Amino acid sequence: GEAGFILTLVPRLRLVIAGHGEEVAALAALARTWGGQVLVLTPDERTAAAAGGEAIILKTPAEHPALVLDPHSALVMLFHDHDWETRLLAQALRQKALFIGAMGSRQTHQRRLVALAEAGIDAADAARISGPIGLIPAARDPQTLALSVLAQVVAAYNAA
């Protein structure tokens, strides 16, 4: 047959980071350095400023029209106040995302799953959420957490 080549264009990773604190800025910076497209959703103006790039201020812990995911998009939840998570996670779980993960201990993740069940989210859908997030267990400082989380997300991206 004809000799030729196949060109495969893979959309670049889009990372939506929802949360507040130094971890958000550290992950946003590292993800951009790696080559990802980053959107930050945060209730905190200082976090938005520190994260740089595209950021949207959340006014309430409700669903938000900017939270749009596809098979090349990952959502990382970095909230210390987990009341902000439930409605955003429920919204994310209705979409075809590459990866959905959330920060916190195993106990925090169990409470998260209970809150999602109370919000009417099926346990099988909620099981798509990676938690505790990251490849390095109990990463404490923001830079190590960012590296740990980005490595996990990029591994999912490369596998897809």
Side-chain angles (χ1 to χ4, degrees):
E2 292 280 319
F5 68 95
I6 297 170
L7 176 63
T8 304
L9 298 175
V10 179
R12 74 181 173 144
L13 172 66
R14 183 167 166 272
L15 184 59
V16 179
I17 307 167
H20 50 251
E22 292 177 54
E23 298 88 354
V24 172
L27 180 57
L30 193 60
R32 279 193 208 96
T33 299
W34 176 80
Q37 180 187 348
V38 177
L39 169 65
V40 171
L41 304 176
T42 180
D44 181 51
E45 307 252 354
R46 283 179 305 206
T47 298
E54 191 182 356
I56 293 173
I57 303 294
L58 301 175
K59 300 292 185 204
T60 65
E63 295 189 9
H64 196 283
L67 179 52
V68 177
L69 303 170
D70 63 34
H72 300 283
S73 298
L75 171 65
V76 173
M77 304 291 277
L78 297 177
F79 282 105
H80 297 276
D81 177 357
H82 299 287
D83 295 339
W84 281 90
E85 294 179 341
T86 306
R87 307 229 344 242
L88 291 170
L89 282 170
Q91 180 183 356
L93 289 168
R94 292 195 300 271
Q95 303 178 58
K96 289 193 184 328
L98 169 72
F99 177 91
I100 299 171
M103 178 174 74
S105 65
R106 282 186 170 70
Q107 292 84 355
T108 297
H109 191 63
Q110 286 309 311
R111 287 193 296 273
R112 178 181 296 125
L113 295 176
V114 168
L116 286 164
E118 289 170 354
I121 300 301
D122 187 74
D125 286 337
R128 290 172 50 205
I129 302 167
S130 284
I133 198 172
L135 297 182
I136 303 168
R140 292 276 177 248
D141 66 281
Q143 282 69 31
T144 304
L145 180 73
L147 182 63
S148 175
V149 169
L150 186 61
Q152 187 178 17
V153 171
V154 170
Y157 174 76
N158 286 345

